[in-house]
Amino acid sequence: MILEPWYWFVLGIALMLLELVFTTFAAFWFGIAALMVSLIYWLCPWMSTTIQLVLWAVFSIVCTLLWFKYIKPLAPRPKPEHIIGQTGMVIEQYPHQVKVRFTTPILGKEEWFCKIQAPLEVGDRIQITHFSEDQIFIKPYKG
């Protein structure tokens, strides 16, 4: 099968649009890599399909690594004061801590193990009282 430059272009745009559904930024960088292959193949039309696929794999890896190293660390992290007061529900109970599911992800995760200040049962609504590094402290929600 002979791949044309526009195949790579369409694949790149499709992968980038797929990011609207899956907001992980993984498909976005594969799409950027496909657009890069499209441009190179348009400039050098004698490239074989194997070279195109290898270029796409290499560009995908490089784009993803560059994103993790340089772009993702620049993303603003929520400040602890924005986390205080968030509510969730206890889904599992353990000694001195519970597993809570939050309606809005906290630092990218929906479920957290939280330190408890008062006895709680599965199904109880909770509220975040304070946050320290990677620990969340909660109390029963009275809303």
Side-chain angles (χ1 to χ4, degrees), residues 103-118:
T103 53
T104 305
I106 306 294
L107 300 177
K109 291 178 13 183
E110 290 182 0
E111 295 180 359
W112 281 82
F113 287 99
C114 302
K115 299 289 184 185
I116 55 176
Q117 299 169 343

Side-chain angles (χ1 to χ4, degrees), residues 14-125:
L15 287 170
M16 291 170 73
L17 289 175
L18 194 62
E19 270 311 314
L20 296 173
V21 177
F22 306 112
T23 57
T24 60
F25 274 102
F28 183 78
W29 301 113
F30 292 123
I32 293 289
L35 291 177
M36 293 168 67
V37 171
S38 173
L39 178 67
I40 291 172
Y41 188 36
W42 180 67
L43 294 172
C44 307
W46 57 85
M47 282 195 315
S48 70
T49 303
T50 304
I51 292 174
Q52 294 172 48
L53 291 171
V54 168
L55 274 178
W56 181 63
V58 168
F59 287 155
S60 295
I61 292 168
V62 168
C63 286
T64 304
L65 291 175
L66 289 174
W67 174 63
F68 275 112
K69 182 157 178 70
Y70 296 108
I71 298 171
K72 190 173 181 182
L74 298 176
R77 293 187 50 93
K79 297 179 179 145
E81 56 266 15
H82 294 124
I83 296 170
I84 306 300
Q86 295 288 330
T87 60
M89 181 176 289
V90 176
I91 58 173
E92 293 178 21
Q93 187 176 8
Y94 302 96
H96 309 294
Q97 68 179 359
V98 292
K99 188 172 189 180
V100 175
R101 179 173 292 137
F102 293 97
T103 53
T104 305
I106 306 294
L107 300 177
K109 291 178 13 183
E110 290 182 0
E111 295 180 359
W112 281 82
F113 287 99
C114 302
K115 299 289 184 185
I116 55 176
Q117 299 169 343
L120 293 169
E121 300 293 327
V122 173
D124 287 351
R125 303 265 309 146

